[in-house]
């Protein structure tokens, strides 16, 4: 019997609700993130202000006010493009982790994994970076495609965080859909994020995927 088949249960075929994380602060969602929401709002206000002022006998004010709001939108967009928030950095690192694991890219994984990192699943586990790398080697040959569909970021402190990664795989012997919890830390504020723990939240077709 296939090792994975031993853990398949009908109740796990469909993705359950995955507990979400705390939302980013308002200023990050509107300004310092991508900047697109804040810039779009400023542009929308510019259009509304121009129309209202033009139709209420204050046409001379319409263009300056609209131009000023467009300028604000441009500034917000510029800030969003120039500033990388911790959440954006973690999303980028999470995607890089998946790409490196799927490709069995040992140099990239070495940079992303803490020396004492651990992987815990019902069907495979390892403690220590050097023991995790062979797991990626074994899985990589069976994966023909992958897609990181979502990355949620839970900042738990200035140097501690968790990401929830929603992953789709094209593979012959691996489940096609899963959610993973990945813990990260930074040794110093200027250091890069590194992975300390990886375990599944949900794997399609598997009961208790993290194991006992």
């Amino acid at each position: 019997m296939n090792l994975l088949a031993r853990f398949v249960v009908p109740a796990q075929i469909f993705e359950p609700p995955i507990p979400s994380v705390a939302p980013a602060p308002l200023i990050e969602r509107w300004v310092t993130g991508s900047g697109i929401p804040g810039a779009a709002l400023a542009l929308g206000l510019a259009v509304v202000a121009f129309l209202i002022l033009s139709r209420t006998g204050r046409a001379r004010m319409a263009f300056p006010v609209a131009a000023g709001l467009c300028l604000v939108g441009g500034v917000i967009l510029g800030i969003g493009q120039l500033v990388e928030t911790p959440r954006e950095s973690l999303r980028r690192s999470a995607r890089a982790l998946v790409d490196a694991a799927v490709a069995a890219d040992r140099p990239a994984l070495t940079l992303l994994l803490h020396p004492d990192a651990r992987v815990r699943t019902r069907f495979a586990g390892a403690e220590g970076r050097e023991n995790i790398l062979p797991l990626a080697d074994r899985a990589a040959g069976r994966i023909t495609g992958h897609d990181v569909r979502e990355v949620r970021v839970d900042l738990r402190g200035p140097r501690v965080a968790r990401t929830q990664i929603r992953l789709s795989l094209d593979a012959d012997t691996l489940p096609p859909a899963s959610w993973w919890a990945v813990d990260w830390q930074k040794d110093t504020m200027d250091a890069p994020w590194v992975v300390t723990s990886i375990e599944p939240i949900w794997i399609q077709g598997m009961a208790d995927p993290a194991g006992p």
Side-chain angles (χ1 to χ4, degrees):
M1 180 182 293
N2 186 292
L3 176 62
L4 297 182
R6 291 164 50 193
F7 305 112
V8 171
V9 293
Q12 297 298 319
I13 294 298
F14 300 103
E15 180 177 315
I18 304 298
S20 190
V21 300
L26 194 61
I27 190 170
E28 182 174 332
R29 280 181 280 162
W30 287 92
V31 179
T32 59
S34 68
I36 293 175
L41 176 62
L43 182 60
L45 290 174
V47 173
V48 171
F50 184 84
L51 293 174
I52 291 175
L53 292 173
S54 297
R55 295 177 181 180
T56 55
R58 291 174 286 181
R60 287 195 300 178
M61 296 177 56
F63 181 76
V65 171
L69 287 169
C70 287
L71 178 61
V72 170
V75 170
I76 291 174
L77 186 61
I79 291 173
Q81 299 302 309
L82 291 173
V83 174
E84 183 178 61
T85 67
R87 284 178 175 81
E88 289 176 317
S89 175
L90 281 159
R91 288 190 187 96
R92 177 170 52 79
S93 294
R95 292 179 181 277
L97 174 68
V98 174
D99 291 343
V102 168
D105 186 340
R106 281 182 169 245
L109 286 172
T110 299
L111 292 175
L112 287 163
L113 295 172
H114 189 277
D116 297 324
R118 68 183 182 91
V119 173
R120 177 190 172 198
T121 72
R122 175 173 284 277
F123 52 89
E127 293 193 9
R129 181 171 57 201
E130 296 308 314
N131 295 320
I132 293 173
L133 295 177
L135 294 181
D137 293 338
R138 291 200 295 269
R142 293 180 284 174
I143 299 172
T144 57
H146 73 284
D147 180 29
V148 177
R149 300 178 62 188
E150 184 179 352
V151 179
R152 299 175 181 174
V153 179
D154 182 13
L155 278 175
R156 300 182 170 184
R159 296 189 288 117
V160 181
R162 167 171 284 196
T163 55
Q164 296 177 344
I165 303 174
R166 188 184 186 194
L167 180 62
S168 294
L169 293 178
D170 293 327
D172 292 334
T173 58
L174 297 175
S178 57
W179 276 92
W180 296 81
V182 181
D183 291 330
W184 303 78
Q185 75 173 41
K186 300 172 78 171
D187 291 334
T188 66
M189 290 301 295
D190 296 328
W193 291 100
V194 291
V195 175
T196 58
S197 175
I198 302 172
E199 65 179 48
I201 302 171
W202 170 79
I203 297 179
Q204 189 173 36
M206 239 180 239
D208 190 19

